[in-house]
């Protein structure tokens, strides 16, 4: 009897383990402090419970039972699954893996945006003053935030926080502001018809974080493209330059003798009349002192720039670039469709994207010592493209001996190293003759001796001598395009046309820290347009023909098995 009572006592004593575990968990959860007392309860309870399980299994041979082994296997498998799920969740919170399967990568930031956000010099924050949080806008902002911890965003209701709205000068719902330090800038106003734009956000971000601005001059006075909105104007291109932190101004070389010193880039966009000789020389002098020039020259024009282009090994071909491959996308033969680009920073992210150039002229490139040329735009090989010499004929066809077979070069980027400029640094005290010591020089004899001794060989020369650090080498850059129509309003935002223009100016400005242009991402139109006959055929085949085929197969199988 005493042995039985002793066994029951040990049995009840082991129930103290779960009780102590429950006490420890309760104390920890209620107090939110897992201190020494809480851990003492938990550890004691776990030890007692473990001893109880071991003693019980020893008394009853519990581990040798088949049910125990099956239950243990099930418990281990369950714990393994829970551990795997926990590990997956842990890795999911630490590392983000996203896959954008859309063809144009609609939900992925452009490389230019990622590079800019990753190297932010200081924290920036986007304030969206709107009640509704559009999922598409939030996804774009979260993509930015994933690139850097310095990028934050927040949605604000102007009615609940009027002080903050007044601080930013908010006038309407949907206004998006960018803030960095004490700088604030309006990005855009979003609404149901216009969502938050990656192009605008990255451009404003670049402007806000950049401490320098580059000056771009656009030549006027020879029938160049109009800068303000109008027919065949380039106002959208000028606005795009402003979005990239460039300041633009017109330039008339007939009124001034030289290109301003603060000119980072000079653009000559589609001149219809020739430049004066003095203007051409001013552009040549600008290039010789390390300037950067963008020439967009249309066919049937003579801007009188042959002397300048000859120094760089470029010749404007007077023939018309013809491309018959653009008919599939609605482009005529006089509008070359370019999908092949050179290996150059201007076109490095273009892949096989499309850009088109209505009424373009080809360029001929020859090698010139000291000039490095890289073709940017190449048409398709013959017979898809050629240079047409008969511009009056309504029927464009290749004529052997007169026309030039493709591929044709429609754009080229060139660089030329300028000779180092020596900046003379005179010596602080040019004294060719040794002077007497102040202690021995007579104060009453200011005149020098009648026969001065010749200077020592080691005496410094009186003439200024340039030092190695005073010699600076500069680089001139030139981009020549055989067309200016591609950058006009309406065409500027089509395909890669705007990127060709903006990337060219950015590269010419020699500001390597600036990201190049971002292509707008548009979903491909995958809708199928069917005629009435095709639609009726589709209805009959899906609602009548396919069910009949399935029914016939079922009857055949049944007949064979009966």
């Amino acid at each position: 009897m005493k042995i039985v009572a002793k066994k029951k006592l040990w049995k009840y004593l082991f129930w103290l383990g779960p009780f102590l575990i429950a006490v420890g968990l309760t104390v920890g959860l209620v107090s939110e402090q897992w201190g020494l007392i809480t851990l003492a309860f938990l550890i004691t309870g776990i030890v007692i419970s473990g001893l109880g399980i071991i003693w019980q299994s020893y008394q009853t041979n519990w581990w040798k039972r088949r049910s125990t082994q099956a239950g243990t296997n099930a418990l281990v498998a369950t714990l393994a699954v829970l551990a795997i799920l926990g590990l997956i969740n842990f890795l999911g919170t630490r590392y983000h893996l996203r896959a954008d399967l859309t063809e144009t990568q609609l939900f992925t930031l452009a490389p230019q945006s990622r590079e800019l956000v990753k190297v932010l010099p200081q924290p920036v924050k986007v304030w969206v003053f709107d009640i509704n949080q559009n999922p598409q806008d939030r996804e774009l902002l979260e993509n930015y935030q994933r690139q850097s911890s310095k990028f934050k965003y927040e949605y604000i209701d102007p009615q609940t926080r009027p002080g903050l709205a007044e601080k930013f000068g908010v006038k309407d719902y949907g206004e998006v502001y960018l803030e960095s330090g004490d700088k604030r800038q309006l990005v855009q106003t979003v609404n149901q018809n216009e969502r938050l734009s990656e192009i605008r956000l990255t451009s404003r971000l670049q402007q806000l974080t950049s401490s320098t601005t580059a000056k771009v001059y656009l030549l006027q006075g020879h029938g160049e493209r109009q800068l303000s909105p109008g027919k065949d104007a380039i106002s959208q291109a000028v606005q795009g330059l402003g979005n990239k932190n460039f300041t633009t101004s017109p330039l008339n070389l007939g009124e001034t003798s030289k290109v301003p010193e603060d000119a980072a880039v000079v653009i000559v966009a589609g001149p219809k009349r020739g430049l004066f000789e003095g203007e051409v020389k001013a552009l040549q002098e600008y290039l010789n002192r390390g300037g950067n020039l963008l020439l967009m020259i249309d066919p049937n024009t003579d801007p009188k720039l042959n002397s300048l282009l000859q120094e760089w090994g470029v010749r404007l071909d007077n023939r018309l670039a013809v491309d018959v491959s653009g008919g599939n996308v609605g482009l005529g033969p006089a509008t070359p469709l370019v999908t092949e680009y050179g290996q150059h920073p201007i076109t490095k992210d273009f892949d096989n994207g499309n850009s088109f150039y209505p009424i373009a002229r080809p360029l001929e490139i020859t090698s010139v010592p000291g000039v490095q040329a890289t073709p940017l735009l190449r048409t398709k090989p013959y017979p898809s493209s050629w240079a047409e010499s008969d511009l009056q004929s309504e029927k464009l066809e290749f004529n052997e001996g007169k026309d030039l077979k493709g591929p044709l070069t429609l754009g080229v980027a060139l660089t030329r190293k300028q000779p180092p400029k020596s900046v003379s640094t005179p010596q602080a005290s040019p004294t060719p003759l040794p002077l007497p010591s102040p202690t021995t020089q007579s104060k009453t004899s200011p005149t020098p001796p009648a026969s001065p001794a010749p200077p020592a060989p080691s005496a410094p020369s009186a003439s200024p001598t340039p030092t190695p650090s005073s010699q600076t080498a500069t680089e001139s850059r030139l981009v020549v395009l055989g067309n200016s129509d591609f950058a006009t309003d309406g065409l500027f935002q089509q395909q890669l046309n705007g990127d060709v223009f903006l990337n060219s100016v950015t590269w010419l400005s020699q500001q390597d820290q600036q990201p190049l242009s971002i292509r707008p991402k548009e979903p491909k139109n995958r809708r199928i347009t069917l005629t009435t006959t095709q639609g009726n055929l589709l209805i009959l085949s899906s609602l009548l023909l396919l069910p009949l085929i399935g029914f016939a197969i079922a009857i055949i199988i049944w007949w064979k098995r009966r």
Side-chain angles (χ1 to χ4, degrees):
M1 293 293 296
K2 290 182 178 181
I3 296 175
V4 174
K6 188 176 181 180
K7 290 182 179 180
K8 288 184 178 181
L9 179 62
W10 278 105
K11 183 178 180 181
Y12 293 130
L13 182 62
F14 288 133
W15 280 105
L16 185 62
F19 174 77
L20 294 177
I21 293 175
V23 171
L25 292 175
T26 304
V27 172
L29 294 175
V30 172
S31 64
E32 296 184 354
Q33 294 181 358
W34 302 87
L36 181 61
I37 298 177
T38 304
L39 293 177
F41 278 116
L42 289 174
I43 294 173
T44 305
I46 292 173
V47 170
I48 294 176
S49 299
L51 292 175
I53 293 173
I54 295 174
W55 183 82
Q56 185 68 24
S57 62
Y58 176 76
Q59 293 292 328
T60 60
N61 291 327
W62 185 69
W63 288 107
K64 296 182 179 180
R65 297 178 182 176
R66 182 177 297 176
S67 59
T68 302
Q69 295 176 355
T72 302
N73 292 334
L75 178 61
V76 171
T78 303
L79 293 176
V81 171
L82 293 176
I84 293 173
L85 293 177
L87 181 60
I88 292 175
N89 281 275
F90 172 76
L91 295 176
T93 56
R94 291 294 185 92
Y95 307 98
H96 300 281
L97 179 61
R98 302 172 69 250
D100 187 355
L101 302 181
T102 57
E103 182 177 0
T104 57
Q105 299 292 293
L106 289 173
F107 306 103
T108 303
L109 290 181
Q112 300 90 330
S113 299
R114 295 198 300 267
E115 293 174 5
L116 180 63
V117 177
K118 287 180 179 179
V119 296
L120 285 175
Q122 57 186 352
V124 297
K125 187 171 184 178
V126 175
W127 299 88
V128 184
F129 291 91
D130 202 353
I131 300 176
N132 302 318
Q133 300 185 18
N134 184 271
Q136 180 179 343
D137 295 347
R138 283 188 61 92
E139 177 68 20
L140 177 61
L141 292 171
E142 288 175 359
N143 283 343
Y144 276 92
Q145 189 170 265
R146 291 188 186 99
Q147 307 303 320
S148 173
S149 59
K150 294 182 179 181
F151 186 95
K152 303 293 182 183
Y153 75 92
E154 184 176 352
Y155 277 83
I156 299 296
D157 184 358
Q159 297 295 334
T160 59
R161 299 183 65 179
L164 185 62
E166 183 179 358
K167 174 183 175 182
F168 281 86
V170 177
K171 299 178 180 179
D172 197 5
Y173 284 100
E175 292 187 2
V176 181
Y177 284 85
L178 191 63
E179 183 181 32
S180 178
D182 57 351
K183 299 180 181 179
R184 302 181 188 91
Q185 191 173 34
L186 175 65
V187 178
Q188 69 177 105
T189 301
V190 296
N191 50 50
Q192 294 296 330
N193 299 323
E194 184 177 2
R195 304 315 320 164
L196 186 59
S197 169
E198 178 188 353
I199 299 175
R200 293 186 180 181
L201 184 55
T202 297
S203 298
R204 296 296 186 270
L205 186 62
Q206 177 185 342
Q207 294 179 16
L208 200 65
T209 57
S210 176
S211 58
T212 60
T213 59
K215 193 67 174 289
V216 176
Y217 286 92
L218 295 103
L219 192 66
Q220 298 289 284
H222 317 88
E224 287 89 355
R225 299 290 178 177
Q226 182 179 327
L227 307 185
S228 57
K231 183 179 180 182
D232 297 331
I234 57 172
S235 62
Q236 291 179 344
V238 173
Q239 182 182 358
L241 291 176
N243 292 337
K244 293 183 66 61
N245 213 24
F246 290 103
T247 57
T248 58
S249 296
L251 173 64
N252 193 328
L253 288 177
E255 299 175 353
T256 178
S257 59
K258 60 182 298 187
V259 177
E261 294 292 338
D262 62 345
V265 182
V266 174
I267 300 176
V268 183
K272 294 181 174 60
R273 297 180 294 273
L275 278 68
F276 291 112
E277 184 178 353
E279 295 176 307
V280 177
K281 288 184 178 180
L283 292 177
Q284 289 176 316
E285 293 175 357
Y286 170 66
L287 288 173
N288 291 336
R289 68 173 190 255
N292 310 285
L293 183 62
L294 171 59
L295 299 178
M296 299 188 295
I297 312 300
D298 296 311
N300 298 323
T301 60
D302 184 11
K304 306 297 183 182
L305 292 170
N306 292 335
S307 59
L308 183 150
L309 294 173
Q310 187 176 3
E311 297 179 357
W312 293 76
V314 179
R315 190 182 72 85
L316 300 174
D317 198 311
N318 293 323
R319 289 171 284 197
L320 177 69
V322 175
D323 183 4
V324 296
S325 66
N328 296 331
V329 291
L331 301 178
T335 304
L337 178 68
V338 173
T339 59
E340 181 181 344
Y341 304 94
Q343 298 295 324
H344 193 271
I346 294 177
T347 55
K348 67 176 182 178
D349 294 322
F350 284 7
D351 298 328
N352 293 322
N354 298 321
S355 61
F356 56 94
Y357 306 86
I359 315 298
R361 70 193 307 168
L363 308 175
E364 180 181 332
I365 313 300
T366 57
S367 179
V368 173
V371 176
Q372 182 179 358
T374 304
L376 296 177
L377 312 172
R378 302 275 288 180
T379 65
K380 297 177 178 61
Y382 179 81
S384 295
S385 71
W386 68 88
E388 177 65 42
S389 58
D390 188 2
L391 305 183
Q392 305 299 327
S393 176
E394 297 182 359
K395 184 178 181 181
L396 298 176
E397 58 181 4
F398 180 78
N399 296 313
E400 192 71 38
K402 296 182 178 180
D403 299 338
L404 178 65
K405 294 183 179 181
L408 309 174
T409 299
L410 303 184
V412 62
L414 308 104
T415 60
R416 183 176 66 185
K417 294 289 185 180
Q418 301 298 334
K421 298 180 180 179
S422 299
V423 181
S424 299
T425 307
Q427 299 294 330
S429 300
T431 55
L433 300 179
L435 296 178
S437 174
T439 57
T440 60
Q441 184 178 7
S442 173
K443 296 182 181 180
T444 60
S445 303
T447 58
S451 301
S458 60
S461 174
S463 60
T465 57
T467 60
S469 60
S470 65
Q471 297 182 355
T472 57
T474 58
E475 180 182 77
S476 298
R477 295 182 178 183
L478 174 66
V479 172
V480 184
L481 304 175
N483 177 261
S484 66
D485 282 317
F486 78 98
T488 56
D489 295 352
L491 299 182
F492 177 80
Q493 296 179 338
Q494 299 293 324
Q495 301 297 326
L496 296 177
N497 287 12
D499 298 282
V500 173
F501 177 83
L502 294 177
N503 285 5
S504 296
V505 177
T506 302
W507 177 75
L508 286 170
S509 67
Q510 302 192 31
Q511 297 187 22
D512 298 334
Q513 72 276 11
Q514 286 201 16
L516 299 178
S517 177
I518 302 173
R519 283 168 279 165
K521 300 175 182 178
E522 300 178 356
K524 291 290 185 68
N525 185 3
R526 297 299 185 187
R527 291 176 295 181
I528 301 176
T529 302
L530 301 177
T531 63
T532 303
T533 303
Q534 292 173 334
N536 293 334
L537 180 61
L538 181 62
I539 293 174
L540 290 175
S541 61
S542 58
L543 299 181
L544 182 63
L545 183 60
L546 291 179
L548 286 178
I549 292 175
F551 186 68
I553 293 175
I555 292 177
I556 293 173
I557 294 175
W558 172 79
W559 182 262
K560 288 185 176 182
R561 291 185 176 182
R562 59 185 298 272

